[in-house]
Amino acid sequence: MYSPPELTLDLHQRLYDQIADALVDNGYIILPSALPETLTGNLYRHLQALNDQQFQRAGIGREQDHQLHGEIRRDTIRWLGQQQAVEAEYLNWMEGLREGLNRRLFMGLFDYEAHFSHYRAGAFYKRHLDAFRGQTNRVLTTVLYLNRDWHSRQGGELLIWPEPDSDKVIETVVPQMGTLVIFLSEQFPHEVLPATTDRYSIAGWFRVNTSINNQLDPPR
Ligand SMILES: O=C(O)CCC(=O)C(=O)O
Ligand SMILES: [Fe+2]
C-alpha cells in the first residue's frame, strides 16, 4: 500500500514515542512487528541464502577462552555491514531509532553494531548481562527475530529477568518472525533456551562514545 512520506514519518515518530516511554517506565519493550514487513522478509531471505562458512563461533566479552564459551553460548554469528543492501537497510532503520531516542531521552547513543545469530537445534546462551556498568559502552540491546511460523513447542524462548540479582523471570519471548525486543543492556539479565530447530535473530547494541584519542573502546 502506498503511504505518503509524511504519514510514514508520523508513524515512525509515534513508534519512537512508544519505545521511549516504555524505556523510561520499564526499561524494556517487546514489539510484535516494529519494522516494515518487506524489510524483515528481505532479511529473512538474505539469511537463508547465507551458508555456514559465513558465520563464526560467538565469543563472550573480551575473553577468548573457547572452552568456557561453549558452556555459556553455542551460537554462531555474522556481523552486519553497509556493503549488503538489505543489511544497510536494517542498520539505517536502527539509525532512525537512534536519533529518535536521542532526541527524546538524551541518551547520547553514538552508534549501533549488530550481528546475525544462528542457534542450531540444542544451542543456547545461558543467563547473562550484555554490559557491566563501567566496563563497556553498550547501553541498549535490540533483538529482532527471523523465524517464520515459530511454534512454542520448538522452544528457543528468550527469558528476561528484571534486574541483575532477581530470580523471577518477567518475560518469556517467543522468537517469532518480526518480534523486536529492546532493553537496557546493564539492567536485564537474559537467557536463550535451546530450541528443537534452527533459530535466527539479529542482536544489536547502541553504544555511547567512550573513546579516547579516537580509539573506540571496545571496538566490538
Ligand atoms: O537471540 C536472542 O534471543 C538473544 C541473544 C543474546 O542475548 C545476545 O546475543 O547477547
Ligand atoms: Fe544477550
Side-chain angles (χ1 to χ4, degrees), residues 61-63 130-138 186 210 217-218:
R62 298 183 191 197
E63 277 129 66
D130 285 349
F132 294 94
R133 231 168 277 273
Q135 283 183 28
T136 166
N137 50 11
R138 290 176 172 178
E186 290 178 349
T210 54
D217 175 48

Side-chain angles (χ1 to χ4, degrees), residues 73 119 125-126 128-131 138 141 143 158 183 188-192 203 205:
R73 67 187 295 186
Y119 292 77
Y125 194 162
K126 291 270 158 71
H128 65 280
L129 279 171
D130 285 349
R138 290 176 172 178
T141 301
V143 189
L158 173 73
F183 58 87
F188 296 92
H190 52 283
E191 169 165 358
V192 178
W205 297 272

Side-chain angles (χ1 to χ4, degrees), residues 2-214:
Y2 174 76
S3 54
E6 60 275 22
L7 184 64
T8 320
L9 202 68
D10 192 51
L11 279 174
H12 273 113
Q13 298 310 322
R14 270 191 283 155
L15 180 62
Y16 301 158
D17 285 344
Q18 186 191 355
I19 295 170
D21 288 349
L23 289 179
V24 170
D25 294 345
N26 309 314
Y28 75 97
I29 188 168
I30 300 164
L31 296 154
S33 61
L35 285 86
E37 259 179 55
T38 47
L39 177 51
T40 50
N42 288 341
L43 285 164
Y44 176 85
R45 275 184 294 278
H46 174 61
L47 199 46
Q48 297 299 312
L50 293 173
N51 58 46
D52 284 353
Q53 285 72 48
Q54 291 169 294
F55 284 76
Q56 69 200 62
R57 183 104 183 266
I60 41 167
R62 298 183 191 197
E63 277 129 66
Q64 288 304 319
D65 180 348
H66 276 284
Q67 194 93 34
L68 182 65
H69 288 174
E71 288 163 25
I72 296 174
R73 67 187 295 186
R74 292 260 173 93
D75 57 325
T76 56
I77 64 166
R78 177 183 168 80
W79 290 96
L80 275 73
Q82 292 290 345
Q83 295 76 19
Q84 303 273 338
V86 58
E87 296 182 11
E89 201 185 334
Y90 177 78
L91 295 172
N92 191 38
W93 194 91
M94 285 296 173
E95 176 60 17
L97 177 58
R98 188 184 71 80
E99 287 168 3
L101 292 178
N102 278 345
R103 237 176 262 133
R104 285 162 180 80
L105 302 178
F106 306 102
M107 288 183 80
L109 304 176
F110 174 73
D111 73 353
Y112 179 76
E113 58 179 3
H115 62 62
F116 293 109
S117 303
H118 176 199
Y119 292 77
R120 288 179 185 286
F124 52 77
Y125 194 162
K126 291 270 158 71
R127 175 173 163 151
H128 65 280
L129 279 171
D130 285 349
F132 294 94
R133 231 168 277 273
Q135 283 183 28
T136 166
N137 50 11
R138 290 176 172 178
V139 288
L140 195 63
T141 301
T142 66
V143 189
L144 174 71
Y145 295 104
L146 295 169
N147 306 292
R148 277 206 201 284
D149 305 319
W150 193 267
H151 195 280
S152 53
R153 67 171 172 264
Q154 288 170 261
E157 294 92 344
L158 173 73
L159 305 180
I160 303 175
W161 287 266
E163 51 200 30
D165 295 329
S166 175
D167 53 16
K168 191 173 173 291
V169 170
I170 41 161
E171 295 288 350
T172 301
V173 185
V174 175
Q176 188 62 260
M177 185 81 189
T179 296
L180 177 67
V181 184
I182 305 174
F183 58 87
L184 297 174
S185 307
E186 290 178 349
Q187 190 185 328
F188 296 92
H190 52 283
E191 169 165 358
V192 178
L193 296 179
T196 57
T197 56
D198 292 300
R199 175 194 189 274
Y200 294 95
S201 56
I202 300 178
W205 297 272
F206 290 104
R207 310 190 297 181
V208 290
N209 186 5
T210 54
S211 64
I212 302 163
N213 299 332
N214 292 329

